[in-house]
Every structure is written in C-alpha cells, then in structure tokens.
Amino acid sequence: MTGDRKKGVSIGAAMKQRMGRQEEVPVQVRAPNPALPKTEETDLLESFNTRLPRSLQRRLKVYAAGGRIKIQDVVQQALEEYLSKKER
C-alpha cells in the first residue's frame, strides 16, 4: 500500500495557490521588529536547521503567515525569551 498513498500539498504551497487566486494587494514594508534585540553588525545571520513535530511546524507557519512576519523572526524572538528566562 505504500504506492497508493497520496502526498498532500505543503502549507506553503497551499498558501501560494490561495494567494494567487486573490487580488493583488500592495505589500507593506515592515518596520524592524522592536521586540527583537538589536544585533551588532558583526552578529551575522547563520543557517540553523532542526526537526520539529509536524503539528508544531504547522502552527508556526500559520501564526507567521497570519501576522505577515517571517518564521525566522518568530523563532528568534521565542528563543531569545526562552533563553533569557533560563539564564536568570
């Protein structure tokens, strides 16, 4: 039965399909997120990969898309808050 299983559409692909059907809406330029700490110029962004439960990934994507913010900004803010609490 492994060959009979259909693959679903990813959330990102489904959102792009749905957005393609909607009227073009002018994109607003977002101001820097004041909740995130200021980074120094020497603190470059670096790629970071991890595995998360599918349900948590889905919640993250929906939350970020609903707020029109980048997933990396949500993750960065969450990690900053978590680590600052743990470092106390």
Side-chain angles (χ1 to χ4, degrees), residues 16-35:
K16 284 180 184 176
Q17 288 174 354
R18 188 173 26 183
M19 290 174 80
R21 290 186 215 132
Q22 297 174 354
E23 293 179 12
E24 291 282 329
V25 177
V27 177
Q28 295 178 349
V29 176
R30 291 183 294 133
N33 188 341

Side-chain angles (χ1 to χ4, degrees), residues 24-81:
E24 291 282 329
V25 177
V27 177
Q28 295 178 349
V29 176
R30 291 183 294 133
N33 188 341
L36 296 176
K38 301 259 188 222
T39 55
E40 298 176 25
E41 283 192 35
T42 58
D43 195 6
L44 301 175
L45 295 178
E46 205 169 305
S47 180
F48 179 76
N49 296 314
T50 189
R51 293 175 184 262
L52 297 172
R54 183 172 287 165
S55 61
L56 183 58
Q57 286 183 16
R58 185 172 296 268
R59 287 172 51 206
L60 174 60
K61 289 179 180 181
V62 168
Y63 177 83
R68 293 183 158 228
I69 55 178
K70 294 179 183 179
I71 291 174
Q72 73 183 37
D73 290 344
V74 175
V75 172
Q76 181 179 350
Q77 183 174 352
L79 286 172
E80 291 284 354
E81 289 175 16

